[in-house]
Amino acid sequence: MDNLQIDRYEFISELGRGAMGVVYKARDTVLDRVVAIKAVDMAREREGMSNYEARFYQEARSAGGLNHPNIVTIYDIGKSGTVAYMAMEFIEGQELRALLTPGQALPPRQAISIAAQVAEGLAFAHERGIIHRDIKPANIMIAPDKPAKITDFGIARMRASTELTETGAMLGSPKYMSPEQALGKRADPRSDVFSLGVILYEMLTGVPPFSGETIAAVMYQIVNFAPPTPSSLNPAIPVATDAIVAKMIAKPL
């Protein structure tokens, strides 16, 4: 997208790109505040995305009703020309995935605190009938001395309904999927809990519970493999934590 401004939003810089659009740091010229803008140029989307715009608005409206300290606030949605956009709370922080170094665990207190905060946000959404379906470190924002916040509620359902691109590449990271999602079944609130359990395991141990060199290998492990207990990999973890993680990543719903 070449425009430097969409409606009332003046772009400052690009924050990141994903399978479903580009995120920018921008200024709301009416309210004079900094926001994050998620923009999708519909003219550049391929065949099969004809319903994307309607779903974009539908899910953004659903997410817009989630007012919680652990969920990124959505301020506005709209369209300018061929570009559909969502204006959200700007967080001066980083994605959780930036804190995850392979082979290096987070301090147990920090890991458990982050997971508990994300669980609070998910519980709030689930009570209102909203399922995220794509909980992963890239969708959790961490800022110093501020609550952890879940992002991407607005397009999570859309991702679930368009999991494969034309080249067969899965959108998002498969290693955080629940068994039912890996099997192509319908996700429910417990699917989000499973995904959060995978993240908690990785934060506590420095390694993901399910891994493989191919998507098929990862999905096979998700459905069939029981990983070692976190405390067996990291002696600093309280043994009681093993039971919590085991319940979160149990195979049966």
Side-chain angles (χ1 to χ4, degrees):
M1 187 177 59
D2 301 320
N3 295 335
L4 295 178
Q5 184 161 339
I6 290 181
D7 294 340
R8 61 198 265 187
Y9 303 103
E10 185 178 74
F11 288 18
I12 299 171
S13 62
E14 182 178 313
L15 297 175
R17 291 175 176 263
M20 290 294 185
V22 186
V23 180
Y24 299 91
K25 180 180 181 180
R27 186 176 70 88
D28 183 333
T29 58
V30 175
L31 297 178
D32 193 24
R33 66 179 172 187
V34 175
V35 299
I37 296 284
K38 179 165 291 181
V40 180
D41 190 344
M42 300 298 172
R44 296 184 182 181
E45 297 303 330
R46 294 178 176 150
E47 187 179 354
M49 300 296 282
S50 57
N51 294 327
Y52 183 90
E53 184 178 351
R55 290 176 175 175
F56 185 91
Y57 294 142
Q58 177 185 347
E59 298 306 326
R61 291 188 188 102
S62 297
L66 298 177
N67 184 14
H68 189 273
N70 298 116
I71 298 175
V72 169
T73 302
I74 293 178
Y75 298 136
D76 185 24
I77 56 173
K79 186 178 181 183
S80 178
T82 61
V83 177
Y85 66 86
M86 188 186 309
M88 301 170 289
E89 170 187 8
F90 176 76
I91 299 171
E92 197 72 62
Q94 58 187 333
E95 295 171 354
L96 174 59
R97 66 177 172 180
L99 301 180
L100 299 178
T101 303
Q104 184 174 327
L106 295 181
R109 184 180 295 273
Q110 181 186 15
I112 293 169
S113 174
I114 291 171
Q117 292 177 65
V118 174
E120 291 281 359
L122 287 176
F124 183 86
H126 294 165
E127 288 168 0
R128 286 151 183 79
I130 303 294
I131 306 166
H132 193 289
R133 293 177 169 84
D134 194 19
I135 291 295
K136 59 186 180 183
N139 286 338
I140 298 170
M141 294 296 297
I142 306 295
D145 302 318
K146 292 184 179 179
K149 289 183 180 272
I150 308 167
T151 67
D152 265 11
F153 266 102
I155 60 175
R157 289 188 181 182
M158 219 171 328
R159 282 179 171 157
S161 64
T162 57
E163 284 181 352
L164 298 179
T165 65
E166 291 182 0
T167 60
M170 184 168 292
L171 299 177
S173 177
K175 69 180 180 180
Y176 301 103
M177 282 186 173
S178 64
E180 56 275 13
Q181 288 173 296
L183 293 170
K185 298 179 180 179
R186 182 179 296 274
D188 73 10
R190 294 167 293 186
S191 306
D192 286 346
V193 174
F194 185 97
S195 298
L196 179 56
V198 174
I199 295 171
L200 177 56
Y201 188 106
E202 187 173 358
M203 289 192 293
L204 290 169
T205 66
V207 296
F210 313 110
S211 61
E213 294 187 359
T214 65
I215 290 176
V218 174
M219 296 175 79
Y220 178 85
Q221 284 209 355
I222 289 171
V223 175
N224 299 287
F225 177 66
T229 60
S231 67
S232 69
L233 300 179
N234 181 359
I237 300 170
V239 175
T241 307
D242 290 343
I244 297 172
V245 174
K247 186 173 183 180
M248 295 176 77
I249 63 172
K251 309 297 182 187
L253 280 167

